[in-house]
Amino acid sequence: RKVLFYNLLSSLATLVGALLVVFLGSSGEPHPALLGLAAGSLIYIAAADLIPEIHRETKRSYMLSQSVALVVGAALIWFIIALAE
């Protein structure tokens, strides 16, 4: 029951996020607060889940591939932002 409750609670976060986008981002331009929230969420996921997992792994090839993917992802975000400006 506890797992189902938390699963439902986290699913409701998606609905709340969608409603925020509809009401705050209706002008066609993304609202800065929503962009900050999305970026913060992704950074939290990377810092809390992905990086510790890389440190626990003993295979160097896995560690290297995940580290390269993280850096390429960050570079891709930077590139997209540079193109958008």
Side-chain angles (χ1 to χ4, degrees):
R1 289 181 179 226
K2 196 174 188 180
V3 171
L4 289 175
F5 172 74
Y6 285 119
N7 191 13
L8 177 67
L9 191 63
S10 67
S11 298
L12 288 176
T14 305
L15 178 62
V16 170
L19 291 174
L20 281 173
V21 168
V22 168
F23 291 118
L24 294 178
S26 62
S27 66
E29 290 291 321
H31 194 275
L34 296 176
L35 290 176
L37 182 64
S41 297
L42 290 174
I43 291 169
Y44 172 78
I45 290 169
D49 290 338
L50 299 178
I51 293 174
E53 181 180 327
I54 292 171
H55 287 293
R56 277 189 298 247
E57 187 63 41
T58 57
K59 293 181 183 177
R60 288 198 184 268
S61 62
Y62 177 79
M63 291 170 49
L64 182 62
S65 67
Q66 293 300 311
S67 298
V68 167
L70 191 64
V71 170
V72 168
L76 184 61
I77 291 170
W78 176 81
F79 181 71
I80 291 170
I81 290 171
L83 283 178
E85 292 177 351

